Amino acid sequence: MHNTTEIRNVVFMGHSGSGKTSLAETMLFEAGAITRKGSVEEGNTVSDFSSLEKERRNSIFSTLMHAVWRGNKINMIDTPGYDDFVGEVICSLKVADTGLLVVNTAHGVEVGTEILWEYTRTFHTPTVIVANQCDHDNSNFQATLDQAVERFGNSVIAFQYPVKEGVGFNAIIDALRMVMYVFPDGGGKPIKQEIPQNEMTKAMELHNAIVEAAAENDEGLMERFFENGTLTEEELTKGLRLAMVHQQITPVFCVSATRNMGTGRLMGFINDICPSPADVKPAPLENGKTLVCNSSDPNTTIFIYKTMTEPQVGMVSYFKVYSGTVNSGDDLVNADHQHHERISQLYVSEGKNRTAVNHLKAGDLGVTVKLKDSHTNDTLSVKGSGNVVKKIDFPESKIRTAVRPMGKNDMEKLMKALHQIQEEDPTIKIEQNAALKQVLLHGQGQLHLDITRYRIEKVNGIEMEFEKPRIMYSETITRSAEEAYRHKKQTGGAGQFAEVHMRIEPYYEGMPDPPGLTVRNREIEELDWGGKLAFYWCIVGGSIDSKYSSAIKKGILHQMEAGPLTGSHSQNIRVSIYDGKMHSVDSNDMAFMLASSSAFKNAFKQAGPQLLEPIYELEVLCSDQVMGDIMSDLQTRRAIITGMGAEGHYQKITAKVPQAEMYQYSSTLRSLSQGKAKFTRRVVEFAPVPPEIQARLIQEHIEELAEA
Ligand SMILES: Nc1nc2c(ncn2[C@@H]2O[C@H](COP(=O)(O)OP(=O)(O)O)[C@@H](O)[C@H]2O)c(=O)[nH]1
Ligand SMILES: [Mg+2]
């Protein structure tokens, strides 16, 4: 069991392909946690262990691993690089105390790098930039460093730089230690050499910058620095750790993950300088207070940052001990719904494998299984502690699709499986949309949805297909119209009789009373599907008894819900009932409902009916080079560009685009930009559908009705 100060929690983040999984593998190997180093190509790394990841040669889930390095336990969480799986990254960042932002020096700072950098600021995570692939043909460390400084600011300081990058890469100058590491051909343990004369000035300059940055945070250190012109190793450690915790320094290290050069030194730095869970700022709680990471706190508190269902095992929960010590067999309480949960088994994780342990102290990351009713984002704590760790805010979904099981009777099974995935992955949302008569799956990108389908098919054995989601059109009118309708039926004994005269108008807030009518009663109905019905009772002389008014309103509401034009809900209409007839024997609620329903339908069609469609406000972030293509594509989607301009080092395009034109936009954008653009969108308004499209939709509705 490791004490809090002997724990380091690091998360590997970076654009897809930067080398996170390879780096984690090499670090495990260096630390002796594994005896054979796997590779992404061969599909045998510790991190990418699921069949899905092996097949795709890419990380999809975050993976918890650990290595023991000089007595300290380094918990490592590898994360996927694609933005589609950002949920996995955010969960991991929440519990990590240091972020390793891996950058491929052959590509420099990429869109993904910048987005992840922003997350490290949001979560206040001390960050190290790992310049990887220094052995790559096109490696350019200096350009990568310059971009990082330019984009992330002056906290970025090179602690190392490669002597010879590219194919012949075999040496690193370390400006913190002021030595040169020279690696044997196969990588691994380097030989320490003196820094060559011609590199001395540059190395010394960096060294001084590091020492000064370390001294800056502490008055005592600053004084000593001015007195002695430098700091002792102990002072330097203290200063650098403090500077990292305050995000005032972002060290840059250089490595080659696959050739195992520089990874040992990186682990040494994590070990010596990077903060333990006790060194970082206390964790924020939901009640606005904070929680200090202290293993002797009697109020043991753990936070579940990830859950995953495994065949044979069931639910597996990954957690961080925020305070106290958790023991196997402990009874804790879920702070959200107060249910008891027994931590019957405790494990540490090595990717696919787990090792049982008896205790885990504050700050550590662990695993438990078979919790009854606790999910990602839940806190389990000693009864009465009142601790609820601040929950993770997940990003809103970016794309949606309708889903349907292939088997007719599989709907219930499919819903169950989808809800289970939603519990594991809070960036997935399942919506049973009654108005559209579809089940919608919302996610972060096409890949995210595809992987979800793959999991349902493979794990749950339910075949499902994606369908284009229907669009939630809405209907309204553009001018006023009047209609009188008589409902009359004479079948044998009792007949049915009702006659209703109404005027309908487009409704808006604060409109004047209908001219020429005497309003007796006004009702403003908020419609379940959005918008309003204003229902005015203007009967004079008792031509219809007011006891029928609610039946008449009901008839109108039925018709508005059904949608006279295309079967889409209608909204924002004022109906004034001003005349009619009733019969002392044959009139009843049903007759008036039917009469008003028909009157409304007929009036609606004469009142310049207009179909409205949901409009997204779209924001795209992209590089200069791909902006033209993205704009031309938007033009084909009936988009109205509302803004364009530089945002940081990228271009931001904002536009209003009909939802109907945005199906599979995530795939299009990915291929247009080679994965170098990001977007967000949300429905902001409803706008009139162009006449030719309205005509087509009405025709389609008529055909649909005929088929039914
Ligand atoms: N030349 C070179 N290739 C690397 C290095 N690190 C990773 N790669 C390769 O880059 C690709 C992506 O690596 P991977 O670890 O899966 O990246 P991730 O998506 O960030 O996890 C793989 O083909 C690796 O073999 C490196 O240091 N040098
Ligand atoms: Mg990976």
Side-chain angles (χ1 to χ4, degrees):
M1 181 173 44
H2 291 265
N3 292 317
T4 304
T5 51
E6 297 164 346
I7 294 165
R8 302 288 179 274
N9 296 315
V10 299
V11 56
F12 294 70
M13 307 175 296
H15 201 87
S16 185
S18 50
K20 300 173 289 295
T21 301
S22 309
L23 180 62
E25 185 78 7
T26 304
M27 283 168 60
L28 289 175
F29 177 74
E30 267 297 287
I34 52 174
T35 50
R36 190 179 173 281
K37 188 155 75 82
S39 78
V40 178
E41 281 73 16
E42 289 169 75
N44 57 356
T45 59
V46 176
S47 173
D48 287 357
F49 64 82
S50 72
S51 53
L52 190 53
E53 290 170 309
K54 286 184 187 178
E55 196 175 290
R56 301 184 52 96
R57 303 269 182 275
N58 217 312
S59 313
I60 291 163
F61 308 111
S62 67
T63 307
L64 175 62
M65 300 158 280
H66 76 273
V68 176
W69 181 260
R70 297 194 195 127
N72 282 354
K73 182 183 180 207
I74 305 182
N75 288 315
M76 308 195 262
I77 312 177
D78 184 25
T79 65
Y82 281 125
D83 208 30
D84 287 60
F85 308 116
V86 65
E88 299 279 318
V89 182
I90 296 177
C91 290
S92 312
L93 250 178
K94 168 81 178 173
V95 296
D97 304 304
T98 298
L100 297 184
L101 188 57
V102 182
V103 184
N104 180 348
T105 49
H107 293 166
V109 171
E110 302 179 76
V111 181
T113 322
E114 290 203 42
I115 288 176
L116 293 165
W117 169 266
E118 285 308 318
Y119 279 121
T120 66
R121 302 304 98 175
T122 310
F123 283 90
H124 305 290
T125 312
T127 305
V128 175
I129 294 179
V130 183
N132 185 34
Q133 311 215 10
C134 288
D135 63 301
H136 195 288
D137 280 353
N138 302 326
S139 169
N140 190 339
F141 176 81
Q142 191 58 47
T144 304
L145 178 67
D146 291 346
Q147 285 168 9
V149 172
E150 193 194 342
R151 292 173 197 192
F152 309 146
N154 285 330
S155 78
V156 177
I157 297 181
F159 278 44
Q160 296 185 328
Y161 64 95
V163 183
K164 239 191 318 176
E165 27 185 347
V167 193
F169 173 66
N170 74 340
I172 293 169
I173 287 183
D174 192 305
L176 177 56
R177 288 255 169 98
M178 285 306 281
V179 290
M180 179 164 77
Y181 296 111
V182 180
F183 296 90
D185 268 356
K189 201 173 161 55
I191 303 164
K192 282 188 210 167
Q193 289 185 1
E194 274 184 23
I195 295 175
Q197 264 318 311
N198 58 348
E199 297 290 347
M200 208 52 192
T201 322
K202 182 174 173 189
M204 210 52 221
E205 245 172 52
L206 288 176
H207 182 76
N208 290 337
I210 296 168
V211 177
E212 212 177 307
E216 241 166 39
N217 263 291
D218 186 304
E219 254 175 59
L221 289 181
M222 204 62 186
E223 256 170 48
R224 234 136 326 138
F225 175 63
F226 281 127
E227 267 168 34
N228 308 332
T230 186
L231 295 176
T232 64
E233 185 152 349
E234 208 174 303
E235 290 165 342
L236 200 53
T237 301
K238 182 180 168 209
L240 286 176
R241 187 175 292 156
L242 210 62
M244 283 191 67
V245 169
H246 290 101
Q247 293 196 311
Q248 278 159 344
I249 193 165
T250 308
V252 181
F253 279 76
C254 54
V255 301
S256 163
T258 43
R259 285 177 54 187
N260 190 7
M261 296 179 181
T263 43
R265 171 73 183 112
L266 178 59
M267 274 200 282
F269 183 80
I270 291 169
N271 198 56
D272 300 341
I273 311 280
C274 288
S276 80
D279 298 318
V280 294
K281 293 174 187 164
L285 299 178
E286 280 290 329
N287 62 9
K289 295 184 181 153
T290 57
L291 182 60
V292 174
C293 187
N294 170 10
S295 60
S296 40
D297 183 347
N299 285 326
T300 297
T301 300
I302 70 175
F303 174 80
I304 302 170
Y305 72 91
K306 174 189 167 81
T307 53
M308 186 105 190
T309 310
E310 279 181 21
Q312 274 97 50
V313 182
M315 181 139 71
V316 181
S317 310
Y318 292 79
F319 62 85
K320 180 176 189 175
V321 186
Y322 270 75
S323 201
T325 298
V326 61
N327 311 292
S328 61
D330 275 358
D331 264 321
L332 299 178
V333 170
N334 183 309
D336 287 75
H337 47 56
Q338 308 303 319
H339 290 177
H340 282 260
E341 292 280 12
R342 162 152 292 204
I343 312 293
S344 49
Q345 280 154 321
L346 268 186
Y347 302 95
V348 291
S349 168
E350 295 117 22
K352 183 171 66 173
N353 300 318
R354 288 187 280 275
T355 307
V357 294
N358 291 323
H359 324 274
L360 288 172
K361 285 196 174 178
D364 217 342
L365 303 183
V367 183
T368 187
V369 294
K370 297 193 166 50
L371 293 180
K372 286 184 307 226
D373 192 16
S374 297
H375 304 286
T376 305
N377 238 346
D378 286 358
T379 298
L380 306 183
S381 183
V382 167
K383 193 172 179 186
S385 83
N387 291 341
V388 184
V389 176
K390 187 146 181 47
K391 291 184 181 291
I392 306 166
D393 265 335
F394 289 99
E396 280 180 33
S397 62
K398 296 196 174 68
I399 117 166
R400 53 180 214 148
T401 185
V403 298
R404 192 172 72 174
M406 299 291 263
K408 275 212 156 47
N409 303 321
D410 280 351
M411 197 53 175
E412 208 174 307
K413 259 165 58 189
L414 175 63
M415 288 310 291
K416 196 168 159 234
L418 284 170
H419 278 118
Q420 187 175 45
I421 290 201
Q422 180 178 260
E423 274 168 6
E424 290 175 18
D425 178 355
T427 60
I428 289 266
K429 287 275 169 300
I430 312 300
E431 177 196 351
Q432 246 169 323
N433 192 310
L436 300 181
K437 299 188 188 70
Q438 281 182 318
V439 175
L440 298 180
L441 174 63
H442 302 262
Q444 299 295 320
Q446 192 60 43
L447 187 58
H448 194 206
L449 301 183
D450 289 344
I451 297 289
T452 304
R453 174 169 59 187
Y454 183 99
R455 285 174 71 183
I456 298 259
E457 294 190 342
K458 281 270 144 67
V459 180
N460 306 82
I462 307 163
E463 278 203 86
M464 68 184 242
E465 62 179 352
F466 289 162
E467 287 182 320
K468 196 168 172 168
R470 299 198 181 103
I471 302 296
M472 180 82 110
Y473 292 105
S474 140
E475 299 177 5
T476 192
I477 51 174
T478 56
R479 56 175 185 260
S480 75
E482 289 188 2
E483 174 75 9
Y485 192 93
R486 176 179 293 181
H487 175 77
K488 193 174 170 191
K489 239 182 196 158
Q490 203 66 56
T491 43
Q496 279 197 29
F497 181 89
E499 185 175 313
V500 175
H501 298 209
M502 65 172 63
R503 180 188 299 173
I504 70 172
E505 300 155 284
Y507 170 78
Y508 58 90
E509 207 77 48
M511 68 191 295
D513 276 347
L517 302 182
T518 312
V519 183
R520 292 289 167 84
N521 190 30
R522 298 175 185 79
E523 288 173 62
I524 308 286
E525 196 87 20
E526 296 273 354
L527 303 169
D528 289 344
W529 50 89
K532 286 176 183 160
L533 162 68
F535 182 72
Y536 284 18
W537 192 251
C538 311
I539 298 290
V540 277
S543 56
I544 306 176
D545 195 312
S546 61
K547 75 178 179 196
Y548 294 124
S549 116
S550 69
I552 291 172
K553 191 173 78 183
K554 224 185 211 168
I556 294 164
L557 281 169
H558 273 318
Q559 199 53 243
M560 286 183 81
E561 186 172 3
L565 215 50
T566 62
S568 316
H569 300 326
S570 28
Q571 54 171 310
N572 295 337
I573 296 170
R574 178 166 74 184
V575 182
S576 306
I577 309 297
Y578 63 86
D579 201 2
K581 278 201 179 71
M582 55 183 177
H583 185 275
S584 55
V585 180
D586 292 346
S587 281
N588 54 37
D589 278 354
M590 181 53 90
F592 271 104
M593 208 170 88
L594 292 170
S596 80
S597 179
S598 295
F600 180 82
K601 188 172 180 176
N602 294 346
F604 192 92
K605 290 186 173 161
Q606 302 158 46
Q610 173 67 58
L611 211 50
L612 303 173
E613 62 180 340
I615 302 290
Y616 279 141
E617 185 171 73
L618 172 73
E619 258 187 41
V620 182
L621 210 58
C622 62
S623 64
D624 279 341
Q625 300 94 296
V626 297
M627 181 154 168
D629 290 345
I630 291 173
M631 295 283 280
S632 347
D633 171 71
L634 283 176
Q635 242 101 65
T636 69
R637 297 176 187 270
R638 296 195 276 131
I640 297 167
I641 309 290
T642 53
M644 231 165 71
E647 170 128 330
H649 296 266
Y650 290 93
Q651 295 294 330
K652 185 162 113 180
I653 306 170
T654 50
K656 290 198 169 160
V657 197
Q659 188 181 51
E661 304 291 337
M662 285 287 283
Y663 187 53
Q664 297 193 321
Y665 185 66
S666 130
S667 305
T668 308
L669 189 66
R670 171 156 291 152
S671 64
L672 281 178
S673 69
Q674 296 93 45
K676 291 185 177 142
K678 314 274 160 188
F679 77 101
T680 58
R681 92 288 188 267
R682 64 195 175 93
V683 172
V684 285
E685 63 191 29
F686 278 76
V689 169
E692 64 284 3
I693 296 180
Q694 172 159 331
R696 194 193 75 216
L697 290 167
I698 292 173
Q699 189 54 37
E700 280 173 11
H701 181 63
I702 292 169
E703 282 162 19
E704 232 171 70
L705 288 180
E707 271 170 35

